[in-house]
């Protein structure tokens, strides 16, 4: 299983970015996929997740600003991030696990290499 993130970059406060995670190398129909982030000196935190039925869940910090979605035809996971704040600055990772649920949070087995998001004030 390979997960490759893209779409990170540098934006100013209030800007938007759309992250993408291209997934390959699997044929499972049930899965949970998530976006995580880790800022320097901080613990990794889950930002949002989505299961194979399309059910989504968000961290409080992401609610109302971020949207997780998937394009099954392209095997791609997205994270649309709007109204970005400096505290959103972090390395963002996508992750996957082949379970039919996302909650309670599972142990994600597969991880991408990350894409950096920097938000300046």
């Amino acid at each position: 299983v390979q997960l490759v993130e893209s779409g990170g970059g540098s934006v100013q406060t209030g800007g938007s970015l759309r992250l993408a995670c291209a997934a390959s190398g699997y044929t499972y129909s049930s899965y949970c996929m998530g976006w995580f982030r880790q800022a320097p000196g901080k613990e990794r935190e889950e930002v949002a997740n989505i299961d194979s039925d399309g059910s989504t869940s968000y961290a409080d910090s992401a609610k109302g600003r971020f949207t997780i979605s998937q394009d099954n035809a392209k095997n791609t996971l997205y994270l649309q991030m709007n109204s970005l704040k400096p505290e959103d600055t972090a390395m963002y990772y996508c992750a996957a696990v082949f379970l039919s649920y996302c909650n309670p949070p599972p142990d994600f087995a597969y991880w991408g290499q990350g894409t950096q998001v920097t938000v300046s004030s």
Side-chain angles (χ1 to χ4, degrees):
V1 177
Q2 187 175 22
L3 303 174
V4 180
E5 301 98 333
S6 60
S10 297
V11 296
Q12 292 188 326
T13 297
S16 298
L17 284 173
R18 187 175 81 154
L19 306 184
C21 173
S24 62
Y26 69 95
T27 58
Y28 301 99
S29 58
S30 295
Y31 57 81
C32 171
M33 296 192 74
W35 285 100
F36 292 75
R37 68 185 182 187
Q38 188 166 22
K42 295 187 176 181
E43 292 187 355
R44 185 176 63 199
E45 64 171 340
E46 185 180 76
V47 176
N49 64 48
I50 186 168
D51 65 23
S52 45
D53 290 332
S55 296
T56 59
S57 180
Y58 296 89
D60 287 344
S61 59
K63 288 178 181 177
R65 300 188 300 127
F66 294 2
T67 302
I68 189 170
S69 62
Q70 57 192 351
D71 184 332
N72 291 330
K74 296 181 179 180
N75 286 343
T76 301
L77 179 73
Y78 299 100
L79 184 68
Q80 177 67 44
M81 304 187 295
N82 299 326
S83 302
L84 283 162
K85 305 174 182 179
E87 51 263 44
D88 295 317
T89 295
M91 185 70 79
Y92 284 71
Y93 301 89
C94 72
V97 62
F98 299 110
L99 297 171
S100 59
Y101 63 89
C102 281
N103 295 290
D107 291 328
F108 286 83
Y110 303 97
W111 294 83
Q113 83 289 348
T115 186
Q116 177 68 38
V117 171
T118 302
V119 185
S120 58
S121 58

